[in-house]
Amino acid sequence: LAILTDGTPSPTRSRLLADAKAKGARIFVHDLALNSAEAVGLAAVGAGGRRASYNLDAADVVLVLDADIMGSEGDIVNNVAGYAARRALLDAGKTSNRMYVVEPRFSSTGMIADNRLRVPASHVGELLRGVVEQFLPADAPADARAQVSNRANSGDGGLAWTTRFKAFAAAVGQDLKAAAGRSVIIAGERQPAWVHALAAFANAALGNVGTTVNYQTDAAQQGETIGALAEMLNAGQVNTLLILDVNAVY
């Protein structure tokens, strides 16, 4: 038995695939949408082989970096439900959340942001450096301090640190700091690995891991590649192939 599946971040599916694997099934993963930049970035901060999921219902402050988490990226259903739960203020004592969005183009997520800042995609990471600078721990590793203080891209063709950008970075950074453990920073799939690494470091520094951010085993780590499946099929080693929500010839 061979099972071919995609990279959907489902704990239930992961458990069932693990059970099937333990009983002798071969698991294969094929998903062109898997975010390799996120994988490389998380590996750089010690979270290799995992991917992030977010509990927006537990977040008072949300910073979204070039990520359409309400329209086309990640676990959209969970993100919308979690965010909306904090906007329904009919319950006594419930407070609303705040969402800041930094993006190069108008998105479904930017449309509902409390504060939206438009910057080129190539400069989103530089803006994040300015935000993290507001709460960087004094005992942060040297490489993290160097990454935050790096302004090499701020010359010609880089982000011009105008009064507006400085004020935005300072305000967002302080808001995240005040909501430590109840905030979250989310980097989009188009951002490079170092931005994902810095976002993950910032979430850890704020104490968000385990509350608003969780890391689960990447589905791609549960199985072999589609190339390995093709070799088994050509060798006649597969009697039954179960395909779960995958276009195997695309």
Side-chain angles (χ1 to χ4, degrees), residues 76-160:
I76 301 169
V77 173
N78 179 64
N79 292 338
V80 170
Y83 176 80
R86 294 297 305 276
R87 308 297 279 196
L89 303 180
L90 297 180
D91 296 338
K94 179 176 282 190
T95 58
S96 179
N97 52 15
R98 284 182 300 285
M99 183 164 69
Y100 302 92
V101 173
V102 179
E103 61 183 8
R105 58 181 178 81
F106 200 50
S107 69
S108 298
T109 306
M111 185 186 306
I112 61 174
D114 296 291
N115 292 275
R116 176 181 178 270
L117 182 68
R118 184 172 66 87
V119 300
S122 57
H123 304 333
V124 169
E126 294 179 66
L127 201 290
L128 176 60
R129 285 170 173 156
V131 170
V132 177
E133 195 171 36
Q134 308 302 313
F135 55 80
L136 186 69
D139 59 349
D143 55 348
R145 292 198 303 273
Q147 180 62 264
V148 171
S149 63
N150 183 3
R151 293 294 183 267
N153 296 346
S154 299
D156 293 339
L159 180 65

Side-chain angles (χ1 to χ4, degrees), residues 204-244:
L206 289 167
N208 295 333
V209 178
T211 55
T212 60
V213 183
N214 291 306
Y215 293 110
Q216 59 191 46
T217 301
D218 192 331
Q221 304 298 318
Q222 285 192 291
E224 303 169 65
T225 66
I226 194 171
L229 173 60
E231 292 179 0
M232 288 186 62
L233 289 170
N234 290 333
Q237 299 174 345
V238 177
N239 294 323
T240 303
L241 174 61
L242 174 61
I243 300 178
L244 301 176

Side-chain angles (χ1 to χ4, degrees), residues 18-96:
D19 290 344
K21 188 175 182 178
K23 294 178 181 179
R26 296 282 291 272
I27 310 300
F28 301 87
V29 176
H30 178 59
D31 194 336
L32 297 178
L34 286 176
N35 191 342
S36 59
E38 180 189 27
V40 173
L42 291 180
V45 293
R50 298 184 178 276
R51 65 188 304 177
S53 61
Y54 305 102
N55 302 322
L56 297 187
D57 56 336
D60 292 346
V61 180
V62 181
L63 172 59
V64 181
L65 304 165
D66 190 18
D68 190 12
I69 60 172
M70 304 295 177
S72 61
E73 292 183 35
D75 192 350
I76 301 169
V77 173
N78 179 64
N79 292 338
V80 170
Y83 176 80
R86 294 297 305 276
R87 308 297 279 196
L89 303 180
L90 297 180
D91 296 338
K94 179 176 282 190
T95 58
S96 179

